[in-house]
Amino acid sequence: MQEFFTPVSKSVLAHREILPELVLGKQIAIHSQRNGFPEFSNCKLVLFGVKESRNSINYRGEVPNFDSIRKAFYSLYAGNWQHKIADLGDIAPGESVEDTYFAIKTVVAELLSGKIIPVIIGGSQDLIYSIYRAYDKLHKMINYVNIDSRFDIGNAEAPISNVSYVGKMVVDKPYNLFNYSAVGYQSYYNPSDEIALIDRLYFDAVRLGEVVNNIQQVEPLTRDADLISLDISAIKSTELCYINNNSPNGLNGREVCAIARYAGISNKVSAFGVFEIINLEKSDTASMLVAQILWYFIEGVNFRIDDGDFSKDEDFKTYKVPVEEEILIFKKSLKTERWWIELPFISETNNKLKRHTLLPCTYGDYESACNQEIPDRWYKARQKNEL
């Protein structure tokens, strides 16, 4: 795996030398030209960059540079963290984009097999497809959450790009995508046929206004995710000092950091990345925001709590709510106070829900059920089970 990486730049390491002793940059293992590739087998998380953007529809020859993000990240102080972290450096663009994809898939697959969480900063978001394909060796269905203003479904029959990679995830074999959730999408950026397709496939889509009005509804989506990515175009342009983004609407810094922490505290999330990072070295503010997003994800990972054994009554409280012709069964963890709703099996179908019998939800979903409203996500998951 070492052969895929280039060391962290000398300018970042020089900046690190003038930082106080207790900052992250002096607490983590770093791939440097002087010290070589770090030992990371005892790490819970590893950070690395991918300098690839050639399949972006807006590609103009730029090579992503993550030095400003690293300088900002290294300058932050760790919380009360018990997990070790390593910075492996960057995957440089291969001779072809396919070479870069191969490197990413190989690296992520090895990290996943070692139960190490990759934290990725990257160029164009089509890189997510190669991360998704790294899960093939695990032989399981996965859930993907995309924090983005767009769905990125595109034309699955056309060559892959940063606006069509989700379509490839849906149609390409092996079919390992169980659920796709788009968080913070803005309707005017998405064609009506893609919005209709999301509905037909029983995927989840939460509009920007819904997220802003009730950010807590994002938590169950992240709790049920294996892979989570953030396209920085989901963040409103003023928060990034207008770098690489001209949208006046989007998530603000507090909201996106809260979502990153939700992603971290999920016991299931095994990979996280921030993408579409182009020209951020021109703005210290934008670089610091990305650094803080990474910090909040890592903070969440360090505060993960096992919810307990669902089969043990002493770990959970069960509530049964009759709604129409259904009996909805809710479970509340006595350790974390997080909520789940049970999905019934349909025994005569060859369903894919064997690991999804308990669907994360909110207390608000329980209240809605008590008011005779079936939660929308329960209905979608049930419909998907019947396919």
Side-chain angles (χ1 to χ4, degrees):
M1 186 168 76
Q2 177 178 347
E3 65 272 17
F4 294 120
F5 288 98
T6 59
V8 173
S9 74
K10 292 180 179 179
S11 66
V12 172
L13 296 175
H15 175 78
R16 170 181 172 270
E17 291 304 311
I18 65 173
L19 296 174
E21 285 301 317
L22 296 179
V23 296
L24 272 170
K26 294 192 175 180
Q27 303 299 315
I28 67 177
I30 299 174
H31 182 191
S32 67
Q33 192 171 24
R34 172 183 292 181
N35 297 322
F37 200 68
E39 169 58 44
F40 63 88
S41 60
N42 61 342
C43 294
K44 178 69 175 179
L45 307 104
V46 297
L47 172 71
F48 65 87
V50 184
K51 294 184 171 184
E52 178 66 82
S53 286
R54 284 175 287 180
N55 275 346
S56 169
I57 60 171
N58 297 314
Y59 178 65
R60 294 184 179 88
E62 314 97 327
V63 176
N65 186 306
F66 310 122
D67 285 1
S68 59
I69 295 173
R70 280 194 169 94
K71 289 177 181 177
F73 181 69
Y74 285 7
S75 72
L76 302 177
Y77 289 91
N80 185 21
W81 298 350
Q82 71 271 22
H83 295 312
K84 294 184 177 180
I85 308 167
D87 186 344
L88 303 185
D90 296 324
I91 295 177
E95 186 173 337
S96 68
V97 178
E98 288 70 25
D99 292 334
T100 310
Y101 289 166
F102 175 78
I104 298 168
K105 179 181 175 180
T106 303
V107 167
V108 174
E110 183 170 334
L111 294 172
L112 293 175
S113 66
K115 300 190 183 303
I116 299 171
I117 300 172
V119 180
I120 304 153
I121 45 179
S124 53
Q125 208 173 7
D126 54 282
L127 302 176
I128 282 289
Y129 180 80
S130 55
I131 298 170
Y132 162 69
R133 290 272 70 113
Y135 283 85
D136 291 349
K137 290 187 176 181
L138 301 183
H139 304 293
K140 68 175 186 178
M141 305 296 290
I142 75 160
N143 294 336
Y144 169 46
V145 170
N146 181 23
I147 306 155
D148 201 337
S149 59
R150 294 172 170 84
F151 293 140
D152 295 336
I153 293 176
N155 180 3
E157 296 180 359
I160 190 170
S161 74
N162 61 335
V163 296
S164 67
Y165 66 95
V166 174
K168 296 288 188 183
M169 294 167 71
V170 173
V171 304
D172 284 1
K173 295 180 180 180
Y175 304 124
N176 291 335
L177 182 66
F178 179 77
N179 193 49
Y180 170 61
S181 300
V183 173
Y185 83 93
Q186 299 175 46
S187 296
Y188 36 72
Y189 289 142
N190 295 278
S192 58
D193 58 341
E194 287 193 16
I195 295 175
L197 180 61
I198 289 284
D199 191 54
R200 289 198 305 273
L201 294 175
Y202 304 110
F203 288 158
D204 297 307
V206 186
R207 292 180 63 174
L208 173 64
E210 297 175 279
V211 175
V212 172
N213 289 334
N214 181 16
I215 197 169
Q216 292 181 351
Q217 67 179 303
V218 178
E219 188 275 330
L221 297 175
T222 60
R223 199 190 330 155
D224 203 32
D226 300 277
L227 168 63
I228 297 181
S229 72
L230 165 68
D231 181 333
I232 62 169
S233 70
I235 304 169
K236 62 182 177 181
S237 57
T238 52
E239 303 287 293
L240 298 169
C241 295
Y242 304 97
I243 297 296
N244 198 37
N245 186 6
N246 59 5
S247 177
N249 288 307
L251 299 166
N252 65 30
R254 289 186 299 274
E255 290 159 350
V256 75
C257 286
I259 294 172
R261 192 175 192 279
Y262 284 150
I265 62 175
S266 165
N267 291 316
K268 192 172 160 187
V269 171
S270 51
F272 177 81
V274 182
F275 297 89
E276 299 297 335
I277 297 175
I278 306 293
N279 297 325
L280 254 63
E281 66 274 12
K282 297 178 180 179
S283 169
D284 291 340
T285 299
S287 297
M288 179 56 77
L289 178 54
V290 173
Q292 290 181 7
I293 290 167
L294 301 178
W295 188 97
Y296 272 101
F297 174 75
I298 296 170
E299 168 91 344
V301 172
N302 277 273
F303 284 91
R304 288 182 175 183
I305 301 174
D306 185 0
D307 289 286
D309 188 339
F310 286 100
S311 65
K312 294 182 179 179
D313 292 339
E314 60 265 29
D315 289 345
F316 288 84
K317 191 167 185 178
T318 301
Y319 301 83
K320 295 183 179 181
V321 182
V323 181
E324 298 175 359
E325 298 179 357
E326 303 284 349
I327 302 293
L328 301 186
I329 300 175
F330 290 86
K331 287 183 177 288
K332 176 186 175 183
S333 170
L334 299 180
K335 289 185 178 180
T336 65
E337 298 190 349
R338 293 190 284 207
W339 287 76
W340 284 262
I341 185 171
E342 190 172 289
L343 293 172
F345 278 137
I346 302 174
S347 58
E348 63 270 19
T349 63
N350 181 22
N351 67 75
K352 300 176 181 179
L353 282 171
K354 296 190 184 301
R355 63 189 274 275
H356 292 267
T357 51
L358 285 170
L359 185 71
C361 66
T362 65
Y363 174 68
D365 291 321
Y366 169 71
E367 287 186 309
S368 296
C370 292
N371 292 324
Q372 298 299 292
E373 297 176 12
I374 295 179
D376 186 52
R377 289 191 65 233
W378 182 93
Y379 174 76
K380 288 181 177 180
R382 175 67 183 267
Q383 293 296 109
K384 197 179 299 184
N385 189 23
E386 293 175 345
L387 291 176

